[in-house]
């Protein structure tokens, strides 16, 4: 087998890679991500109009967006939306809920514990672990220097 030069490899990759359609994907990501954020703001306004306190309304918005994201993932709507919206579906709370729910659904045939339970945090697990560990370290640093 003959070795490829970096130039030959670059040309091979260019042939195999599809052209980016950023003229379409960027506006779609902006519109869908903006819609998800506007939906969150609309829910917040609704919950505040019901007389809920700010922090309770904010928590309820988070729970509602997570529920809707997981529901759409389970109905296979979230993945179809992501094909058109790209990064717009990665709005933090909905994208994170989708990242937890997707592997769960994929491995449900393997059972509740070894399938759904074990695979639930395959994608999101490192993010959760890093967040908890980083918050512990930052909290310890603050405690030492303020304490």
């Amino acid at each position: 087998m003959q070795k490829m030069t970096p130039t030959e490899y670059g040309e091979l990759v260019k042939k195999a890679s599809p052209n980016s359609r950023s003229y379409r994907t960027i506006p779609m990501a902006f519109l869908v991500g903006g819609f998800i954020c506007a939906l969150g703001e609309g829910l917040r306004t609704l919950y505040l109009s019901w007389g809920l306190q700010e922090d309770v309304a904010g928590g309820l918005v988070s729970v509602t967006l997570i529920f809707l994201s997981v529901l759409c993932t389970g109905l296979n709507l979230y993945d179809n939306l992501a094909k058109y919206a790209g990064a717009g579906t990665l709005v933090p709370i909905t994208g994170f809920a989708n990242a937890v729910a997707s592997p769960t659904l994929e491995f449900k045939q393997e059972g509740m514990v070894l399938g759904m339970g074990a695979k639930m945090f395959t994608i999101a697990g490192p993010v959760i672990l890093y967040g908890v560990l980083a918050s512990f370290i930052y909290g310890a640093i603050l405690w030492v220097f303020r304490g």
Side-chain angles (χ1 to χ4, degrees):
M1 180 176 255
Q2 183 182 10
K3 283 190 166 187
M4 284 186 164
T5 66
T7 307
E8 291 172 331
Y9 180 74
E11 289 184 25
L12 183 65
V13 168
K14 204 181 284 186
K15 284 180 187 176
S17 300
N19 290 333
S20 173
R21 296 180 293 170
S22 58
Y23 61 88
R24 185 180 77 78
T25 57
I26 291 173
M28 284 301 295
F30 177 78
L31 289 172
V32 172
F35 174 77
I36 293 170
C37 292
L39 175 63
E41 280 299 311
L43 289 169
R44 181 179 167 277
T45 302
L46 174 69
Y47 296 148
L48 288 173
S49 74
W50 291 351
L52 297 175
Q53 297 174 357
E54 289 265 350
D55 56 341
V56 175
L60 197 52
V61 168
S62 297
V63 169
T64 305
L65 288 175
I66 289 169
F67 171 77
L68 291 174
S69 177
V70 171
L71 179 67
C72 288
T73 299
L75 296 173
N76 202 27
L77 299 173
Y78 203 91
D79 290 340
N80 291 334
L81 178 63
K83 287 178 187 174
Y84 296 103
T89 57
L90 296 177
V91 173
I93 199 161
T94 56
F96 191 74
N98 175 261
V100 171
S102 291
T104 304
L105 295 172
E106 187 175 334
F107 291 98
K108 69 182 177 184
Q109 292 84 7
E110 295 179 24
M112 293 293 284
V113 175
L114 296 177
M116 293 172 68
K119 301 296 183 178
M120 181 181 295
F121 297 106
T122 301
I123 296 172
V127 175
I128 294 170
L129 176 65
Y130 176 77
V132 170
L133 185 62
S135 65
F136 176 78
I137 291 170
Y138 297 148
I141 291 169
L142 283 173
W143 181 75
V144 167
F145 288 107
R146 287 190 183 174

